[in-house]
Amino acid sequence: MILVLIDAARLARAGYVFAREGVLSLVNPALVPPLARPGLRIARLLARPDAGSRAARLSAALSRLGPTYVKLGQFLATRPDVVGASVARDLEILQDRMPAFGHDLAEATVADAFDRPVKDTYSWFGPPVAAASIAEVHKADVTERDGTTRAVAVKILRPGIERRFAADIATFRRVATFVEQISAEARRLRVTTVVETLGRSVTMEMDLRLEAAAYTELAENVKDDPDVHVPAVDWDRSAREVLTTEWIDGIKLSDRAALEAAGHDLQNLARIVMQSFLRQAMRDGFFHADMHPGNLFVDADGRLVVVDCGIMGRLGLKERRFLAEILYGFITRNWRRTAEVHFEAGYVPMHHSVDDFALAIRAIGEPIHSRSAEQISMARLLTLLLEVTALFDMKTRPELLLLQKTMVVVEGVARTLDPQLNMWTTARPVVEDWIAQNLGPVGRLQEVGSGLGEVGRFVHDVPMLLTRAGRVVAQLDDATRNGLQLSPETLEGIGRAEARRAFWGNLALWLIAIALLILAFD
């Protein structure tokens, strides 16, 4: 009962804020149950007259409600299947613009994290330079043993954020469960799954050691990319609540005037942004999933510097192949092959017609090739593709939705730098390189090698399996000697089962060996 009252109070406050900021005024009354329409009319009377655009109203309401709601808004921007494409676009502009929590609290958090005074960790610790929903960033100095000083960025969790988030997410979870019980549409959209995914995502974000690990993995992946740089992590000064990285003196990608004044080639920067993201997604399967302009800088050497690795995306080999082949299929206008990839990946059920699906994809792709370069949008393409696949019973793929959301942001950043950027020309070398490495002869040999490795491991395990089988037989003999009576029928059944397993096991080994030989010389 107490939890119900607490949830009701929290939801009442949230409802008031949404009403006051004018968010509820945007709701179509026809979509609201009749009993709730009087409440909607009252909410419209509470709205501020200067509420602004829908995006501004959403941003203001979520910011007033606090860090958990800001993070919820950012997360829902990745789920257009839940909130709708237009609302998702409005939520994309919701960047972390929260008030700083204070210098004294920041120093206390650092002291607690390392169990020593701040001055023993940093030779100088400055005021906050940025504040987000979960953490804020300070600039500091570190004195090395040789007496030299280097600047670092110190990210610190908001005090009490874990407790507040846990309370809010518990309310969200109970509300989602209730809504699914009364709404078939909510069950289709799997609202409780959305809440659980949000909970897991932010829980990982609130352990800055995991973000530090993401920094290092991303840095390892791009170490040979001359146009991209990832700040180094100072592991000696990083903990669960504190993350210390290399300080970046650069120009934000959103400051076009400063970039031009510094003499940077904006067209080349647009290409770097787009190709870097595609390499992360396709080559590495590990991509920065929050590449808004506030997280992208250009250093003095003209390199793209990526910061804030709190939200990362992963793609398995199947997803990377899917992405590469559909992009290449659209580039080459091979609609049939693009359709086949969906079926091979298991995204579209086999009872559908490949030809019908190819026709649907052609309806998306043909208009693209009749447009000028500045009108072509790969992000829009993926959005349309996911809409079409829904007609063919393709289930929601969370990893593809995150990819789509990130591509929308990356494409927008690239277009602000170069409005004439041809996305297909820019993407083609990255896609072709991945296909050559993974789907060409080299990729086939790697697959054969992987298959041979699996066979080798199986052959290596055969003696162990035979030893286990011998132990089972010995145990059966012991059990028989100790008075356990097995009927002749049971013993005969065991023998037949062992014979069948031996026959099919040997047959499988020979078939695998033959298939690998065919692949090796195909």
Side-chain angles (χ1 to χ4, degrees), residues 146-311:
D146 59 2
T148 59
T149 301
R150 59 183 172 89
V152 294
V154 185
K155 184 174 182 178
I156 305 170
L157 279 184
R158 286 183 173 274
I161 183 64
E162 292 179 276
R163 183 179 64 255
R164 179 169 182 177
F165 179 80
D168 286 339
I169 206 70
T171 297
F172 294 164
R173 188 180 294 113
R174 287 188 288 268
V175 171
T177 302
F178 173 73
V179 170
E180 282 198 355
Q181 289 174 349
I182 63 174
S183 170
E185 181 68 8
R187 289 192 294 273
R188 185 186 72 81
L189 293 173
R190 297 187 295 176
V191 178
T192 54
T193 303
V194 172
V195 173
E196 293 299 336
T197 304
L198 170 65
R200 287 192 300 271
S201 172
V202 181
T203 298
M204 292 184 66
E205 261 193 277
M206 288 189 292
D207 188 340
L208 297 184
R209 294 170 300 186
L210 298 178
E211 182 174 348
Y215 263 104
T216 56
E217 183 174 350
L218 185 62
E220 289 174 3
N221 291 341
V222 304
K223 66 180 184 298
D224 295 326
D225 297 347
D227 297 328
V228 183
H229 177 66
V230 178
V233 173
D234 186 338
W235 282 100
D236 292 335
R237 296 174 178 84
S238 295
R240 181 181 177 84
E241 301 86 8
V242 181
L243 168 62
T244 303
T245 61
E246 167 192 359
W247 178 263
I248 299 299
D249 280 318
I251 302 171
K252 280 191 176 184
L253 222 59
S254 56
D255 195 345
R256 183 185 178 94
L259 292 172
E260 290 177 336
H264 292 296
D265 184 343
L266 300 191
Q267 292 182 341
N268 186 51
L269 284 176
R271 177 191 61 80
I272 292 172
V273 170
M274 196 69 205
Q275 291 187 347
S276 173
F277 166 69
L278 289 174
R279 286 193 184 97
Q280 291 175 38
M282 286 192 293
R283 181 192 65 191
D284 308 324
F286 185 66
F287 62 93
H288 195 297
D290 197 20
M291 290 181 69
H292 62 72
N295 289 337
L296 302 174
F297 293 80
V298 180
D299 65 12
D301 298 326
R303 297 179 301 178
L304 177 71
V305 182
V306 184
V307 302
D308 193 357
C309 293
I311 304 175

